[in-house]
Amino acid sequence: MALQEKRSLVQFGLNRRLLRCVGLWPEERGSPWRPSLWPNALLQQGSLAAMVTSELAALRQYWGGELSHTTINACIILLVAVALCKASSLVSLRRPIIQLMHTLQNTSVPQNEWEERIYSGAARHARLLTLVLCVDYAIVAFIWDSLPLLNFIQQSPEGRYNNSDAIFSQYPIIALYPWEVQSGPAYAFTFTLQVLCGAIFTMTHLACDTFLMSLVIHICSQIDVLRASLQQLGRRAERADAELCVGRLGGGGDRDKALCGQGSEQELYHELVACIKHHKNIIGYVDVLQQVLSPVALAQFMCSMVIICLSGFGIAISNDFGALCRYCVYFTGAAIQLLIFCWYGEVLITKSERVSEAAMGCGWTEVRGRHFKSSALILMIRAQRPLALTGSKFYVISLKTFVQLLNASYSFFAVLRQLNESGHREEEGAVASV
């Protein structure tokens, strides 16, 4: 079936709307960053900075108290800090990212049916990932906000505002405020404020993660198109070689006809040059994405590793059902974020490694032109170096790194648990000696 209309299949519409909700994306018209958006960005990201400040004050105030409270507070601080890192990276490098998005849109115009299948498949994949993560993050936010509220409702009317443990059990966030929080109107106001701040940093995580991973998905679709082009080139080279052999056996006229046909060496060479330029452009796309993703991935990896360790430790020591559910939410959320980054980083590495295999089959053995052979050899040598995203050159974003970070989290968890058990044994020994 012939293509009815040549249009780009890459739109990023849902991703742009999510980023615009948290003030991280410009309007469709005007300059790349309209001044009217700055108040929105400053308001939302400033609220996250104030949120971290109040949490750090609470962490300092209650340091040395209940271990589970300190653990919960540390997990929330790390989550908000990563959200701020993602937002600042996108804002500081917004121009190359916007240019990369427009470039992917302009180059994702299908010229034939198999290109349309690849681009439309990538667009469906990116949209499905965005929708699934929207549902996942909404469920996590609902559980995170509803548990303290249920704890508040279960308390007796007299004990709701006279409970010294209310700041830990009846609020989603452990923070200090310049007003009294253990009263009816103050509780409603503080709880609403914390829910709004939690929605902002959850939306920041969601918008940044889905947008960056959608860029990776569409870059991978460009690699798929390149591989398919090289495979098509190999098949045409085989046909050209067969026609040339038939022309030699049949006489000079047939040979001239074969050389002037669709599979002539000159046309094949121009197609190979187009493939090499396409591969060079893909390398440039990955370099631009690396600029934004590098600090984000490093912060995500470090904080996710610590959150997995602390939440696992909290699950091991917690006796309260509400705190246990919170730890499970932190653990699964950090693990899912880490897995998403590493999974699509692995997909990029795997697909880029297959470019070398496709270049091997581009027909360089059948074509007799010296320029074609040398160009194909250059492409094969460069494609042997896979494209990979890194976390500030410390980690390669891949499934191997995911396993390594999980192992490191478990090692830290084992040390914390051993120290905690040693402390309990020392306290029991001290009590027994008295």
Side-chain angles (χ1 to χ4, degrees):
M1 183 179 63
L3 296 177
Q4 297 180 354
E5 182 183 359
K6 291 184 179 181
R7 59 183 180 85
S8 176
L9 299 177
V10 179
Q11 300 299 327
F12 293 99
L14 182 57
N15 301 111
R16 291 200 302 266
R17 284 192 290 271
L18 290 174
L19 288 170
R20 200 174 293 118
C21 288
V22 290
L24 298 178
W25 195 260
E27 298 291 340
E28 296 299 327
R29 298 177 181 177
S31 60
W33 189 265
R34 296 183 64 182
S36 60
L37 278 182
W38 278 112
N40 184 21
L42 292 176
L43 175 64
Q44 300 201 42
Q45 305 311 315
S47 64
L48 294 185
M51 181 178 174
V52 171
T53 303
S54 61
E55 289 172 345
L56 289 173
L59 184 65
R60 180 183 178 184
Q61 177 74 21
Y62 301 110
W63 186 265
E66 183 65 30
L67 186 59
S68 61
H69 299 158
T70 305
T71 305
I72 291 176
N73 200 7
C75 290
I76 300 175
I77 291 173
L78 290 174
L79 285 172
V80 181
V82 175
L84 283 172
C85 177
K86 293 176 180 179
S88 61
S89 296
L90 278 180
V91 170
S92 61
L93 296 171
R94 61 189 179 275
R95 293 184 185 275
I97 282 294
I98 292 175
Q99 185 178 2
L100 173 60
M101 187 200 70
H102 289 318
T103 302
L104 288 174
Q105 288 179 327
N106 295 332
T107 56
S108 298
V109 179
Q111 304 297 324
N112 45 58
E113 292 185 7
W114 54 266
E115 284 189 6
E116 184 182 27
R117 287 194 298 269
I118 293 174
Y119 290 138
S120 60
R124 287 193 300 268
H125 186 179
R127 185 173 182 82
L128 179 61
L129 173 67
T130 303
L131 293 175
V132 169
L133 288 183
C134 285
V135 174
D136 177 66
Y137 281 46
I139 293 173
V140 169
F142 175 77
I143 296 174
W144 184 56
D145 292 332
S146 61
L147 287 175
L149 184 60
L150 290 175
N151 194 5
F152 174 80
I153 294 173
Q154 290 173 358
Q155 294 285 337
S156 62
E158 295 80 10
R160 288 176 180 173
Y161 309 114
N162 297 322
N163 184 8
S164 60
D165 196 48
I167 191 174
F168 305 110
S169 60
Q170 297 179 11
Y171 289 95
I173 300 170
I174 301 174
L176 289 182
Y177 297 96
W179 60 82
E180 180 62 37
V181 298
Q182 294 180 351
S183 63
Y187 175 82
F189 174 76
T190 307
F191 188 90
T192 304
L193 180 64
Q194 290 192 0
V195 169
L196 291 176
C197 291
I200 290 174
F201 89 79
T202 302
M203 282 290 295
T204 302
H205 276 290
L206 173 64
C208 296
D209 291 348
T210 54
F211 178 65
L212 293 175
M213 293 305 103
S214 296
L215 288 175
V216 176
I217 291 172
H218 290 298
I219 290 175
C220 289
S221 70
Q222 294 285 330
I223 297 176
D224 289 336
V225 170
L226 174 61
R227 289 176 51 227
S229 300
L230 290 171
Q231 293 170 357
Q232 292 279 347
L233 182 61
R235 286 190 285 268
R236 292 189 58 189
E238 291 178 358
R239 289 197 299 267
D241 184 65
E243 292 174 0
L244 181 59
C245 293
V246 171
R248 285 179 173 177
L249 293 175
D254 293 333
R255 180 177 180 274
D256 294 337
K257 182 178 180 181
L259 290 176
C260 295
Q262 187 179 7
S264 65
E265 292 184 0
Q266 192 67 21
E267 291 181 355
L268 294 175
Y269 174 71
H270 289 313
E271 291 184 15
L272 178 61
V273 170
C275 291
I276 294 174
K277 291 181 179 179
H278 192 189
H279 187 238
K280 183 180 178 181
N281 292 335
I282 293 173
I283 296 173
Y285 304 156
V286 175
D287 291 339
V288 174
L289 184 59
Q290 171 67 24
Q291 296 179 23
V292 181
L293 199 58
S294 180
V296 170
L298 182 62
Q300 183 70 67
F301 285 3
M302 295 295 99
C303 293
S304 293
M305 183 177 64
V306 176
I307 291 172
I308 290 172
C309 171
L310 294 178
S311 57
F313 177 68
I315 292 172
I317 66 173
S318 178
N319 296 322
D320 180 66
F321 177 75
L324 184 64
C325 291
R326 282 175 134 187
Y327 287 130
C328 291
V329 168
Y330 299 147
F331 184 90
T332 55
I336 288 174
Q337 281 186 314
L338 192 61
L339 178 61
I340 289 172
F341 277 80
C342 294
W343 179 271
Y344 287 101
E346 183 72 23
V347 170
L348 178 63
I349 293 173
T350 303
K351 287 184 178 293
S352 63
E353 286 176 343
R354 294 175 181 172
V355 174
S356 179
E357 300 175 4
M360 286 287 293
C362 70
W364 65 280
T365 57
E366 287 81 8
V367 179
R368 291 163 176 78
R370 180 174 58 86
H371 295 293
F372 187 96
K373 292 180 181 294
S374 60
S375 300
L377 182 60
I378 292 173
L379 176 60
M380 285 184 281
I381 293 174
R382 177 59 186 89
Q384 287 178 355
R385 220 169 47 222
L387 302 176
L389 299 168
T390 64
S392 295
K393 306 299 181 181
F394 289 100
Y395 292 98
V396 176
I397 304 177
S398 64
L399 291 178
K400 182 179 178 181
T401 302
F402 176 73
V403 175
Q404 290 175 348
L405 293 175
L406 289 183
N407 290 334
S409 298
Y410 178 77
S411 300
F412 295 146
F413 161 76
V415 171
L416 286 177
R417 188 171 184 179
Q418 185 177 4
L419 291 174
N420 185 55
E421 292 176 354
S422 300
H424 283 306
R425 285 195 296 267
E426 290 179 0
E427 292 179 359
E428 292 174 356
V431 171
S433 64
V434 173

